[in-house]
Amino acid sequence: MQAFGRIKRLVTAGADAIIVYFDGVNLDEANNACHHMLAAIDAQRNQWSWLKECVPSYDSLLVVFDMALIDSHGVYQALHTLSDTSEFAQSKGANSVNSVEGTSAVIEIPVWYGAPHASDLSVVSKKTSLSIDEIIELHTSVTYKVYAVGFAPGFAYMGDIPEAMNCARLGTPRKRVPKGAVAIADRQTAVYPSESPGGWNLLGITSFDMLLHSEEHSESRLKAGDIVKFVSITEQEYRSHYES
């Protein structure tokens, strides 16, 4: 299939969904293209009564549709047409939804690095040849983009960590990782939203709740496209959150 715009290809995903894959010189550019398309689709929601859900990921967008109102060919044509419209072009401007340049605020996540129940800092130090202080300094030195939310409700995949911190997953995953554990794996970083198994390298722990709770349900506090910065705090500051 010939690519159009920043779209590389479209692939059917079952009877009622299409996955749109995006192109770019790197992952961040492809992810930006994904969110440009998502913003353009959001602008069409009132006209697209057949649209049920859009789920963004690293370099792809899952589009779920109502089979009673449209078929996959119709969705393909709608997406193809949208990619050539002024709405899609405008969504790629500096004020596009969730683009790095257009983000008005950085979400700060406080971390008690080296918390005894959530620390692989010595392991990461051996893997990377960095001192523990250097690991903390590097992890807090940059902002991270939320590329996708998945694995578990509220689990946000963020990147990219500084290259010097590139660290493979644990050989044997843990059976229990505490809620709020801040971790890295390969070029990514994340926060475990609840206690669960996991094989990432733990750097510390946060009191930042990755889920927003209501009487009806819980949803992820971070969305794909959000910008995050980790901030180092002391044990006392961490514990004061629960004592206040």
Side-chain angles (χ1 to χ4, degrees):
M1 180 191 307
Q2 183 177 1
F4 49 90
R6 300 302 302 174
I7 297 176
K8 182 163 58 176
R9 67 184 185 276
L10 286 82
V11 178
T12 57
D16 64 346
I18 286 178
I19 301 177
V20 187
Y21 289 94
F22 298 88
D23 201 3
V25 296
N26 53 39
L27 178 59
D28 191 57
E29 186 173 299
N31 187 256
N32 281 337
C34 172
H35 288 288
H36 297 326
M37 175 61 82
L38 180 61
I41 290 175
D42 282 340
Q44 298 294 316
R45 283 185 179 271
N46 290 337
Q47 287 73 40
W48 288 4
S49 59
W50 47 264
L51 182 64
K52 295 177 67 176
E53 186 179 13
C54 287
V55 183
S57 186
Y58 285 89
D59 61 349
S60 65
L61 181 65
L62 176 69
V63 179
V64 184
F65 57 89
D66 188 339
M67 293 189 297
L69 300 177
I70 196 171
D71 60 14
S72 59
H73 179 71
V75 176
Y76 171 88
Q77 290 299 324
L79 294 172
H80 191 298
T81 301
L82 181 61
S83 70
D84 294 327
T85 63
S86 59
E87 287 83 358
F88 182 62
Q90 291 169 2
S91 76
K92 296 192 287 186
N95 294 322
S96 62
V97 175
N98 282 336
S99 69
V100 174
E101 297 81 6
T103 301
S104 58
V106 174
I107 300 168
E108 292 191 347
I109 297 181
V111 184
W112 171 21
Y113 288 94
H117 57 303
S119 179
D120 292 319
L121 284 175
S122 60
V123 175
V124 174
S125 179
K126 291 179 181 178
K127 288 181 178 179
T128 62
S129 298
L130 296 169
S131 70
I132 290 176
D133 286 343
E134 287 173 330
I135 294 167
I136 297 171
E137 182 179 356
L138 283 173
H139 193 249
T140 57
S141 68
V142 299
T143 56
Y144 301 93
K145 181 177 180 179
V146 178
Y147 284 123
V149 179
F151 166 64
F155 192 99
Y157 294 85
M158 295 174 265
D160 289 347
I161 66 173
E163 188 172 356
M165 292 180 65
N166 195 335
C167 201
R169 290 169 171 80
L170 301 178
T172 302
R174 291 182 177 85
K175 294 182 178 180
R176 294 175 59 187
V177 175
K179 174 184 177 180
V182 178
I184 60 173
D186 301 319
R187 296 298 303 279
Q188 304 170 100
T189 188
V191 178
Y192 282 82
S194 58
E195 184 179 287
S196 68
W200 290 34
N201 304 275
L202 308 185
L203 302 183
I205 199 160
T206 181
S207 58
F208 185 92
D209 197 337
M210 300 299 288
L211 294 169
L212 293 174
H213 306 279
S214 67
E215 293 183 0
E216 293 79 19
H217 64 283
S218 298
E219 63 179 34
S220 177
R221 191 167 180 177
L222 298 183
K223 308 297 182 184
D226 282 346
I227 304 302
V228 173
K229 184 174 179 61
F230 293 95
V231 179
S232 179
I233 62 172
T234 64
E235 176 183 357
Q236 182 178 359
E237 289 172 320
Y238 170 80
R239 295 193 183 282
S240 67
H241 172 82
Y242 296 102
E243 297 170 358
S244 60

